Amino acid sequence: MADQICIRLASLSLSYNGGKDCLVLLILYLSLLPTHPSLPSALPAIYIPPSHPFHSVTAFTLSSARKYHLRLDIHSADDSNPQMVGKGKGGAAMKEAFAQYLGRNPGVEAIFVGTRRTDPHGGMLSGEGFDMTDGGWPRFMRVHPVIEWHYVEVWAVSYSSTLLPTGMARM
């Protein structure tokens, strides 16, 4: 049984960008892990920063990833970044980032994402919180644990969390 849980845990990943929705997602994910009998040394995660990220958000993302043992695979659509995944903008760059990530992590079958119903394209997702990627995208199950959460709930968890630095919540 423990081996099956480890295999299943190894097939999961987290899309983590240090934002409040992703922080809540990380809190939920971490809160469930102590129930598993065997844990990996680091949890697989992907970070696709925006082309012009805020330094403080990037610093928080990287430091919290280290602190909470995320094996953060960083991809960027920024031409000046050596880890650039392509010159595409928006969705095209994200498609390429996920394709490369899954190519390097072939065991990943599902990725937790912090999308909420009110986010762009969030209204098109199922109410169950599980959606396969759209046609033309690399195949994986998108898991949306906070899809029906409202902004006030995200803020409440963010403010009450010890994971979030004091100044970060006000950004």
Side-chain angles (χ1 to χ4, degrees), residues 114-130:
T115 304
R116 290 182 294 122
R117 182 75 58 211
T118 56
D119 290 339
H121 307 290
M124 299 183 323
L125 299 171
S126 76
E128 275 83 63
F130 298 92

Side-chain angles (χ1 to χ4, degrees), residues 38-98:
S38 180
L39 298 174
S41 59
L43 300 168
I46 180 172
Y47 173 41
I48 307 171
S51 57
H52 302 289
F54 291 108
H55 173 71
S56 57
V57 174
T58 299
F60 172 73
T61 301
L62 298 177
S63 68
S64 61
R66 281 189 301 276
K67 184 175 183 177
Y68 296 102
H69 305 281
L70 298 181
R71 190 183 71 235
L72 202 59
D73 197 331
I74 302 171
H75 296 269
S76 177
D78 183 354
D79 291 344
S80 66
N81 188 323
Q83 294 173 310
M84 183 182 84
V85 296
K87 296 185 187 292
K89 299 281 186 207
M94 289 188 76
K95 275 187 203 180
E96 195 169 339
F98 280 117

